[in-house]
Amino acid sequence: MTDPDPHLLGPGLLPTPFTAEEIRDATGRGKRIHLLLEGPDGPLGEHVNRFHHTDEEGATLDRWAAADPNAVVSSRVTWTELQGHAAFDAETTSMSTVPLSSPLGELTCRRYDTADGIFWFSSAHPGMPVQYESDGIRTTVLSIEHE
């Protein structure tokens, strides 16, 4: 009997770009992700996600608008929960490997076209998509800093 593929979280789902363990390992002791949100008429603002207090199961995730660093929203997340954000329905999602020019450089990405949006996951940056578009908003990772 072969071990189940850790990229497959359930029947009818496409493989996720990263396993929970790959996300955990890429986060290390912590990291800060700087994001740019853009609408059809231009920039809407910048946001920051910060992972800290990491352990085998998960981390504390702080999120805030860069313009208001005192308005931090914190929650505990698990690596499996984060992996699950990229578990897309196989019948309604197409997946491809594409190049992407981004503030992080020239990247090779796994692109998921879903009913809810388009998501680009960089093979060099396990974790959240380096870019995604949904409801007329594009979110782009500007930088990733490890603590």
Short mmCIF file of all heavy atoms in Angstrom, two decimals, residues 62-123:
data_model
loop_
_atom_site.label_atom_id
_atom_site.label_comp_id
_atom_site.label_asym_id
_atom_site.label_seq_id
_atom_site.Cartn_x
_atom_site.Cartn_y
_atom_site.Cartn_z
N ASP A 62 -0.63 37.75 12.51
CA ASP A 62 -1.06 39.13 12.70
C ASP A 62 -1.26 39.74 11.32
O ASP A 62 -0.44 39.53 10.42
CB ASP A 62 0.01 39.96 13.43
CG ASP A 62 0.28 39.49 14.84
OD1 ASP A 62 -0.58 38.81 15.43
OD2 ASP A 62 1.37 39.81 15.36
N ARG A 63 -2.33 40.50 11.16
CA ARG A 63 -2.60 41.18 9.89
C ARG A 63 -3.01 42.62 10.17
O ARG A 63 -3.73 42.88 11.13
CB ARG A 63 -3.72 40.47 9.14
CG ARG A 63 -3.35 39.06 8.72
CD ARG A 63 -4.45 38.40 7.96
NE ARG A 63 -5.52 38.07 8.88
CZ ARG A 63 -6.65 37.51 8.51
NH1 ARG A 63 -6.89 37.24 7.26
NH2 ARG A 63 -7.57 37.24 9.41
N TRP A 64 -2.53 43.54 9.31
CA TRP A 64 -2.90 44.94 9.47
C TRP A 64 -2.68 45.69 8.17
O TRP A 64 -1.90 45.28 7.31
CB TRP A 64 -2.14 45.59 10.61
CG TRP A 64 -0.65 45.74 10.43
CD1 TRP A 64 0.01 46.80 9.87
CD2 TRP A 64 0.37 44.80 10.81
NE1 TRP A 64 1.36 46.59 9.89
CE2 TRP A 64 1.62 45.36 10.46
CE3 TRP A 64 0.35 43.53 11.40
CZ2 TRP A 64 2.83 44.71 10.67
CZ3 TRP A 64 1.56 42.88 11.61
CH2 TRP A 64 2.77 43.47 11.25
N ALA A 65 -3.38 46.82 8.04
CA ALA A 65 -3.15 47.74 6.92
C ALA A 65 -1.88 48.51 7.24
O ALA A 65 -1.70 48.99 8.37
CB ALA A 65 -4.33 48.69 6.77
N ALA A 66 -0.99 48.63 6.29
CA ALA A 66 0.29 49.31 6.52
C ALA A 66 0.08 50.75 7.00
O ALA A 66 0.87 51.26 7.78
CB ALA A 66 1.13 49.28 5.25
N ALA A 67 -1.01 51.37 6.57
CA ALA A 67 -1.29 52.76 6.98
C ALA A 67 -1.75 52.85 8.43
O ALA A 67 -1.76 53.94 8.99
CB ALA A 67 -2.35 53.36 6.06
N ASP A 68 -2.14 51.72 9.04
CA ASP A 68 -2.62 51.74 10.42
C ASP A 68 -2.03 50.55 11.19
O ASP A 68 -2.74 49.59 11.51
CB ASP A 68 -4.15 51.68 10.44
CG ASP A 68 -4.72 51.93 11.82
OD1 ASP A 68 -3.94 52.22 12.76
OD2 ASP A 68 -5.95 51.82 11.97
N PRO A 69 -0.73 50.61 11.50
CA PRO A 69 -0.07 49.47 12.15
C PRO A 69 -0.57 49.18 13.55
O PRO A 69 -0.24 48.14 14.12
CB PRO A 69 1.40 49.87 12.15
CG PRO A 69 1.41 51.35 11.99
CD PRO A 69 0.17 51.72 11.24
N ASN A 70 -1.39 50.05 14.14
CA ASN A 70 -1.94 49.79 15.47
C ASN A 70 -3.22 48.95 15.42
O ASN A 70 -3.69 48.51 16.46
CB ASN A 70 -2.20 51.10 16.20
CG ASN A 70 -0.92 51.84 16.49
OD1 ASN A 70 0.09 51.22 16.84
ND2 ASN A 70 -0.94 53.15 16.32
N ALA A 71 -3.78 48.76 14.23
CA ALA A 71 -5.03 48.01 14.09
C ALA A 71 -4.73 46.56 13.68
O ALA A 71 -5.14 46.09 12.63
CB ALA A 71 -5.94 48.68 13.07
N VAL A 72 -4.01 45.87 14.54
CA VAL A 72 -3.60 44.49 14.25
C VAL A 72 -4.72 43.52 14.61
O VAL A 72 -5.32 43.62 15.69
CB VAL A 72 -2.32 44.12 15.04
CG1 VAL A 72 -1.94 42.68 14.82
CG2 VAL A 72 -1.18 45.06 14.65
N VAL A 73 -4.99 42.60 13.70
CA VAL A 73 -5.92 41.50 13.97
C VAL A 73 -5.08 40.24 14.04
O VAL A 73 -4.33 39.94 13.11
CB VAL A 73 -6.98 41.39 12.85
CG1 VAL A 73 -7.87 40.17 13.07
CG2 VAL A 73 -7.81 42.66 12.76
N SER A 74 -5.18 39.52 15.17
CA SER A 74 -4.38 38.32 15.39
C SER A 74 -5.27 37.09 15.47
O SER A 74 -6.38 37.16 16.00
CB SER A 74 -3.57 38.42 16.68
OG SER A 74 -2.62 39.44 16.59
N SER A 75 -4.74 35.97 14.96
CA SER A 75 -5.43 34.70 15.10
C SER A 75 -4.41 33.57 15.05
O SER A 75 -3.31 33.74 14.53
CB SER A 75 -6.47 34.52 13.99
OG SER A 75 -5.85 34.53 12.72
N ARG A 76 -4.78 32.46 15.62
CA ARG A 76 -3.95 31.26 15.55
C ARG A 76 -4.38 30.49 14.32
O ARG A 76 -5.57 30.30 14.08
CB ARG A 76 -4.16 30.43 16.82
CG ARG A 76 -3.44 29.12 16.85
CD ARG A 76 -1.98 29.30 17.15
NE ARG A 76 -1.35 27.98 17.14
CZ ARG A 76 -0.08 27.76 17.12
NH1 ARG A 76 0.76 28.77 17.15
NH2 ARG A 76 0.41 26.56 17.10
N VAL A 77 -3.40 30.09 13.48
CA VAL A 77 -3.67 29.31 12.28
C VAL A 77 -2.83 28.03 12.33
O VAL A 77 -1.75 28.03 12.92
CB VAL A 77 -3.36 30.10 10.99
CG1 VAL A 77 -4.30 31.30 10.84
CG2 VAL A 77 -1.91 30.56 10.93
N THR A 78 -3.35 26.99 11.70
CA THR A 78 -2.56 25.76 11.60
C THR A 78 -2.01 25.65 10.19
O THR A 78 -2.56 26.22 9.24
CB THR A 78 -3.40 24.51 11.92
OG1 THR A 78 -4.37 24.32 10.88
CG2 THR A 78 -4.08 24.62 13.28
N TRP A 79 -0.93 24.91 10.05
CA TRP A 79 -0.32 24.70 8.73
C TRP A 79 -1.31 23.99 7.82
O TRP A 79 -1.41 24.30 6.64
CB TRP A 79 0.99 23.94 8.85
CG TRP A 79 1.94 24.56 9.83
CD1 TRP A 79 2.53 23.95 10.91
CD2 TRP A 79 2.45 25.90 9.84
NE1 TRP A 79 3.33 24.82 11.59
CE2 TRP A 79 3.31 26.04 10.96
CE3 TRP A 79 2.25 27.01 9.03
CZ2 TRP A 79 3.97 27.22 11.27
CZ3 TRP A 79 2.90 28.20 9.35
CH2 TRP A 79 3.74 28.30 10.44
N THR A 80 -2.07 23.02 8.36
CA THR A 80 -3.05 22.29 7.55
C THR A 80 -4.17 23.23 7.09
O THR A 80 -4.63 23.13 5.95
CB THR A 80 -3.62 21.11 8.36
OG1 THR A 80 -2.54 20.26 8.73
CG2 THR A 80 -4.62 20.32 7.53
N GLU A 81 -4.59 24.14 7.96
CA GLU A 81 -5.60 25.12 7.59
C GLU A 81 -5.10 25.99 6.43
O GLU A 81 -5.83 26.25 5.46
CB GLU A 81 -5.93 25.98 8.80
CG GLU A 81 -6.90 27.10 8.57
CD GLU A 81 -7.04 28.01 9.80
OE1 GLU A 81 -6.45 27.72 10.87
OE2 GLU A 81 -7.76 29.01 9.68
N LEU A 82 -3.85 26.44 6.52
CA LEU A 82 -3.28 27.26 5.45
C LEU A 82 -3.19 26.46 4.15
O LEU A 82 -3.48 26.98 3.08
CB LEU A 82 -1.93 27.81 5.86
CG LEU A 82 -1.97 28.79 7.04
CD1 LEU A 82 -0.56 29.17 7.47
CD2 LEU A 82 -2.79 30.02 6.71
N GLN A 83 -2.78 25.20 4.23
CA GLN A 83 -2.74 24.35 3.04
C GLN A 83 -4.14 24.25 2.43
O GLN A 83 -4.30 24.30 1.21
CB GLN A 83 -2.21 22.96 3.39
CG GLN A 83 -2.20 22.03 2.19
CD GLN A 83 -1.82 20.60 2.53
OE1 GLN A 83 -1.64 20.23 3.70
NE2 GLN A 83 -1.71 19.77 1.51
N GLY A 84 -5.15 24.11 3.28
CA GLY A 84 -6.52 23.97 2.81
C GLY A 84 -7.05 25.15 2.02
O GLY A 84 -7.97 25.00 1.22
N HIS A 85 -6.46 26.33 2.21
CA HIS A 85 -6.90 27.50 1.43
C HIS A 85 -6.62 27.31 -0.05
O HIS A 85 -7.20 28.02 -0.88
CB HIS A 85 -6.20 28.77 1.93
CG HIS A 85 -6.64 29.19 3.29
ND1 HIS A 85 -5.98 30.16 4.01
CD2 HIS A 85 -7.66 28.79 4.09
CE1 HIS A 85 -6.58 30.34 5.17
NE2 HIS A 85 -7.59 29.51 5.24
N ALA A 86 -5.73 26.38 -0.41
CA ALA A 86 -5.40 26.13 -1.81
C ALA A 86 -5.94 24.79 -2.29
O ALA A 86 -5.48 24.25 -3.29
CB ALA A 86 -3.89 26.17 -2.00
N ALA A 87 -6.93 24.26 -1.60
CA ALA A 87 -7.56 23.00 -2.00
C ALA A 87 -8.78 23.33 -2.86
O ALA A 87 -9.88 23.56 -2.35
CB ALA A 87 -7.95 22.18 -0.78
N PHE A 88 -8.57 23.38 -4.18
CA PHE A 88 -9.61 23.82 -5.10
C PHE A 88 -10.33 22.63 -5.74
O PHE A 88 -9.74 21.58 -5.98
CB PHE A 88 -9.00 24.70 -6.19
CG PHE A 88 -8.34 25.95 -5.66
CD1 PHE A 88 -6.97 26.10 -5.72
CD2 PHE A 88 -9.10 26.96 -5.09
CE1 PHE A 88 -6.35 27.25 -5.23
CE2 PHE A 88 -8.49 28.11 -4.59
CZ PHE A 88 -7.12 28.24 -4.67
N ASP A 89 -11.60 22.84 -6.05
CA ASP A 89 -12.44 21.82 -6.67
C ASP A 89 -11.91 21.44 -8.05
O ASP A 89 -11.70 22.31 -8.90
CB ASP A 89 -13.88 22.34 -6.77
CG ASP A 89 -14.81 21.33 -7.37
OD1 ASP A 89 -15.19 20.37 -6.66
OD2 ASP A 89 -15.15 21.47 -8.56
N ALA A 90 -11.73 20.14 -8.27
CA ALA A 90 -11.15 19.66 -9.53
C ALA A 90 -12.07 19.89 -10.72
O ALA A 90 -11.60 20.09 -11.84
CB ALA A 90 -10.81 18.18 -9.40
N GLU A 91 -13.38 19.88 -10.51
CA GLU A 91 -14.31 20.02 -11.63
C GLU A 91 -14.46 21.46 -12.12
O GLU A 91 -14.80 21.68 -13.27
CB GLU A 91 -15.68 19.46 -11.26
CG GLU A 91 -15.68 17.95 -11.20
CD GLU A 91 -17.08 17.38 -11.10
OE1 GLU A 91 -18.05 18.08 -11.50
OE2 GLU A 91 -17.20 16.25 -10.64
N THR A 92 -14.20 22.42 -11.24
CA THR A 92 -14.42 23.83 -11.61
C THR A 92 -13.14 24.65 -11.67
O THR A 92 -13.20 25.86 -11.85
CB THR A 92 -15.40 24.49 -10.62
OG1 THR A 92 -14.83 24.45 -9.31
CG2 THR A 92 -16.76 23.81 -10.64
N THR A 93 -11.99 23.99 -11.52
CA THR A 93 -10.70 24.69 -11.48
C THR A 93 -9.75 24.10 -12.50
O THR A 93 -9.66 22.88 -12.63
CB THR A 93 -10.06 24.56 -10.07
OG1 THR A 93 -10.98 25.05 -9.10
CG2 THR A 93 -8.76 25.34 -9.99
N SER A 94 -9.06 24.98 -13.21
CA SER A 94 -7.98 24.50 -14.08
C SER A 94 -6.65 24.89 -13.43
O SER A 94 -6.56 25.90 -12.73
CB SER A 94 -8.09 25.09 -15.49
OG SER A 94 -7.92 26.49 -15.47
N MET A 95 -5.65 24.06 -13.66
CA MET A 95 -4.34 24.28 -13.06
C MET A 95 -3.29 24.22 -14.16
O MET A 95 -3.36 23.37 -15.04
CB MET A 95 -4.09 23.17 -12.01
CG MET A 95 -2.79 23.30 -11.26
SD MET A 95 -2.62 22.02 -9.99
CE MET A 95 -2.45 20.54 -10.97
N SER A 96 -2.33 25.15 -14.10
CA SER A 96 -1.24 25.16 -15.08
C SER A 96 0.02 25.69 -14.41
O SER A 96 -0.04 26.27 -13.33
CB SER A 96 -1.62 26.04 -16.28
OG SER A 96 -1.93 27.36 -15.87
N THR A 97 1.15 25.49 -15.07
CA THR A 97 2.42 26.05 -14.60
C THR A 97 2.79 27.17 -15.56
O THR A 97 2.83 26.95 -16.77
CB THR A 97 3.52 24.97 -14.56
OG1 THR A 97 3.08 23.94 -13.67
CG2 THR A 97 4.83 25.54 -14.07
N VAL A 98 3.03 28.36 -15.00
CA VAL A 98 3.25 29.55 -15.82
C VAL A 98 4.35 30.41 -15.22
O VAL A 98 4.61 30.36 -14.02
CB VAL A 98 1.96 30.40 -15.93
CG1 VAL A 98 0.83 29.63 -16.59
CG2 VAL A 98 1.53 30.92 -14.58
N PRO A 99 5.02 31.22 -16.06
CA PRO A 99 5.95 32.22 -15.52
C PRO A 99 5.15 33.43 -15.03
O PRO A 99 4.06 33.71 -15.52
CB PRO A 99 6.82 32.58 -16.73
CG PRO A 99 5.94 32.32 -17.91
CD PRO A 99 5.03 31.19 -17.51
N LEU A 100 5.71 34.15 -14.04
CA LEU A 100 5.08 35.37 -13.54
C LEU A 100 6.17 36.36 -13.20
O LEU A 100 7.10 36.05 -12.45
CB LEU A 100 4.23 35.06 -12.29
CG LEU A 100 3.55 36.27 -11.64
CD1 LEU A 100 2.39 36.78 -12.51
CD2 LEU A 100 3.04 35.91 -10.25
N SER A 101 6.05 37.57 -13.74
CA SER A 101 6.92 38.67 -13.35
C SER A 101 6.28 39.33 -12.14
O SER A 101 5.12 39.74 -12.20
CB SER A 101 7.06 39.69 -14.47
OG SER A 101 7.75 39.14 -15.56
N SER A 102 7.04 39.42 -11.05
CA SER A 102 6.48 39.99 -9.83
C SER A 102 7.54 40.80 -9.12
O SER A 102 8.72 40.73 -9.47
CB SER A 102 5.97 38.86 -8.93
OG SER A 102 6.98 38.41 -8.06
N PRO A 103 7.16 41.54 -8.08
CA PRO A 103 8.16 42.27 -7.29
C PRO A 103 9.20 41.33 -6.65
O PRO A 103 10.29 41.78 -6.29
CB PRO A 103 7.33 42.97 -6.22
CG PRO A 103 5.99 43.14 -6.84
CD PRO A 103 5.80 41.90 -7.67
N LEU A 104 8.88 40.04 -6.55
CA LEU A 104 9.82 39.07 -6.01
C LEU A 104 10.79 38.55 -7.08
O LEU A 104 11.69 37.78 -6.76
CB LEU A 104 9.07 37.88 -5.40
CG LEU A 104 8.12 38.23 -4.25
CD1 LEU A 104 7.34 36.99 -3.82
CD2 LEU A 104 8.87 38.84 -3.08
N GLY A 105 10.58 38.96 -8.32
CA GLY A 105 11.44 38.51 -9.43
C GLY A 105 10.65 37.70 -10.44
O GLY A 105 9.42 37.69 -10.44
N GLU A 106 11.39 37.04 -11.32
CA GLU A 106 10.77 36.16 -12.31
C GLU A 106 10.52 34.81 -11.63
O GLU A 106 11.46 34.16 -11.18
CB GLU A 106 11.69 35.99 -13.52
CG GLU A 106 11.96 37.29 -14.26
CD GLU A 106 10.68 37.92 -14.82
OE1 GLU A 106 9.82 37.18 -15.36
OE2 GLU A 106 10.54 39.16 -14.69
N LEU A 107 9.26 34.41 -11.56
CA LEU A 107 8.89 33.22 -10.80
C LEU A 107 8.23 32.17 -11.69
O LEU A 107 7.55 32.52 -12.65
CB LEU A 107 7.90 33.61 -9.69
CG LEU A 107 8.34 34.70 -8.73
CD1 LEU A 107 7.18 35.08 -7.81
CD2 LEU A 107 9.55 34.24 -7.93
N THR A 108 8.39 30.92 -11.32
CA THR A 108 7.61 29.83 -11.89
C THR A 108 6.48 29.56 -10.91
O THR A 108 6.73 29.31 -9.73
CB THR A 108 8.47 28.57 -12.09
OG1 THR A 108 9.54 28.89 -12.99
CG2 THR A 108 7.65 27.43 -12.64
N CYS A 109 5.25 29.64 -11.42
CA CYS A 109 4.10 29.52 -10.54
C CYS A 109 3.14 28.44 -11.01
O CYS A 109 3.01 28.18 -12.20
CB CYS A 109 3.32 30.84 -10.50
SG CYS A 109 4.22 32.19 -9.73
N ARG A 110 2.46 27.87 -10.04
CA ARG A 110 1.32 27.03 -10.32
C ARG A 110 0.11 27.95 -10.26
O ARG A 110 -0.14 28.59 -9.24
CB ARG A 110 1.20 25.90 -9.32
CG ARG A 110 0.08 24.93 -9.72
CD ARG A 110 0.07 23.69 -8.90
NE ARG A 110 1.28 22.92 -9.18
CZ ARG A 110 1.64 21.87 -8.47
NH1 ARG A 110 0.93 21.47 -7.44
NH2 ARG A 110 2.73 21.20 -8.77
N ARG A 111 -0.60 28.03 -11.38
CA ARG A 111 -1.75 28.93 -11.49
C ARG A 111 -3.04 28.11 -11.40
O ARG A 111 -3.19 27.10 -12.09
CB ARG A 111 -1.71 29.67 -12.82
CG ARG A 111 -2.89 30.56 -13.07
CD ARG A 111 -2.78 31.28 -14.38
NE ARG A 111 -4.08 31.77 -14.82
CZ ARG A 111 -4.24 32.82 -15.60
NH1 ARG A 111 -3.21 33.50 -16.04
NH2 ARG A 111 -5.46 33.19 -15.94
N TYR A 112 -3.94 28.55 -10.54
CA TYR A 112 -5.25 27.93 -10.39
C TYR A 112 -6.30 28.93 -10.84
O TYR A 112 -6.39 30.03 -10.27
CB TYR A 112 -5.52 27.56 -8.93
CG TYR A 112 -4.62 26.48 -8.37
CD1 TYR A 112 -3.34 26.77 -7.93
CD2 TYR A 112 -5.07 25.17 -8.27
CE1 TYR A 112 -2.52 25.79 -7.40
CE2 TYR A 112 -4.26 24.17 -7.75
CZ TYR A 112 -2.99 24.49 -7.32
OH TYR A 112 -2.18 23.51 -6.78
N ASP A 113 -7.07 28.58 -11.87
CA ASP A 113 -8.19 29.40 -12.33
C ASP A 113 -9.46 28.79 -11.75
O ASP A 113 -9.83 27.67 -12.12
CB ASP A 113 -8.25 29.43 -13.85
CG ASP A 113 -7.13 30.24 -14.47
OD1 ASP A 113 -6.01 29.71 -14.59
OD2 ASP A 113 -7.37 31.39 -14.81
N THR A 114 -10.09 29.51 -10.82
CA THR A 114 -11.25 28.99 -10.10
C THR A 114 -12.48 29.83 -10.40
O THR A 114 -12.38 30.89 -11.02
CB THR A 114 -11.01 29.00 -8.57
OG1 THR A 114 -11.13 30.35 -8.10
CG2 THR A 114 -9.63 28.46 -8.21
N ALA A 115 -13.62 29.39 -9.91
CA ALA A 115 -14.85 30.17 -10.04
C ALA A 115 -14.76 31.46 -9.22
O ALA A 115 -15.44 32.44 -9.52
CB ALA A 115 -16.04 29.33 -9.59
N ASP A 116 -13.90 31.48 -8.20
CA ASP A 116 -13.78 32.64 -7.32
C ASP A 116 -12.62 33.57 -7.65
O ASP A 116 -12.48 34.63 -7.04
CB ASP A 116 -13.62 32.19 -5.87
CG ASP A 116 -14.85 31.44 -5.38
OD1 ASP A 116 -15.96 31.84 -5.74
OD2 ASP A 116 -14.67 30.46 -4.65
N GLY A 117 -11.73 33.17 -8.56
CA GLY A 117 -10.59 34.01 -8.89
C GLY A 117 -9.45 33.23 -9.48
O GLY A 117 -9.56 32.04 -9.78
N ILE A 118 -8.32 33.91 -9.63
CA ILE A 118 -7.10 33.31 -10.17
C ILE A 118 -6.02 33.47 -9.11
O ILE A 118 -5.86 34.53 -8.52
CB ILE A 118 -6.66 34.02 -11.47
CG1 ILE A 118 -7.79 33.99 -12.50
CG2 ILE A 118 -5.41 33.34 -12.04
CD1 ILE A 118 -7.52 34.88 -13.70
N PHE A 119 -5.27 32.37 -8.87
CA PHE A 119 -4.27 32.32 -7.81
C PHE A 119 -2.95 31.82 -8.38
O PHE A 119 -2.94 30.79 -9.05
CB PHE A 119 -4.74 31.39 -6.68
CG PHE A 119 -6.06 31.78 -6.10
CD1 PHE A 119 -7.25 31.39 -6.71
CD2 PHE A 119 -6.12 32.55 -4.96
CE1 PHE A 119 -8.48 31.76 -6.19
CE2 PHE A 119 -7.34 32.93 -4.43
CZ PHE A 119 -8.52 32.52 -5.04
N TRP A 120 -1.86 32.55 -8.12
CA TRP A 120 -0.52 32.16 -8.54
C TRP A 120 0.31 31.80 -7.31
O TRP A 120 0.53 32.66 -6.45
CB TRP A 120 0.18 33.29 -9.28
CG TRP A 120 -0.38 33.63 -10.62
CD1 TRP A 120 0.09 33.22 -11.83
CD2 TRP A 120 -1.46 34.54 -10.91
NE1 TRP A 120 -0.65 33.79 -12.84
CE2 TRP A 120 -1.61 34.60 -12.30
CE3 TRP A 120 -2.33 35.28 -10.11
CZ2 TRP A 120 -2.58 35.37 -12.92
CZ3 TRP A 120 -3.32 36.06 -10.72
CH2 TRP A 120 -3.42 36.09 -12.11
N PHE A 121 0.78 30.56 -7.22
CA PHE A 121 1.62 30.10 -6.12
C PHE A 121 3.02 29.86 -6.65
O PHE A 121 3.21 29.05 -7.56
CB PHE A 121 1.08 28.78 -5.54
CG PHE A 121 -0.24 28.92 -4.84
CD1 PHE A 121 -1.43 28.80 -5.54
CD2 PHE A 121 -0.29 29.18 -3.48
CE1 PHE A 121 -2.65 28.91 -4.89
CE2 PHE A 121 -1.50 29.30 -2.82
CZ PHE A 121 -2.70 29.17 -3.54
N SER A 122 4.00 30.54 -6.10
CA SER A 122 5.39 30.42 -6.53
C SER A 122 6.03 29.19 -5.90
O SER A 122 6.00 29.03 -4.68
CB SER A 122 6.18 31.65 -6.12
OG SER A 122 7.57 31.42 -6.25
N SER A 123 6.66 28.36 -6.73
CA SER A 123 7.34 27.18 -6.21
C SER A 123 8.49 27.57 -5.28
O SER A 123 8.87 26.80 -4.41
CB SER A 123 7.85 26.30 -7.37
OG SER A 123 8.70 27.06 -8.21
#
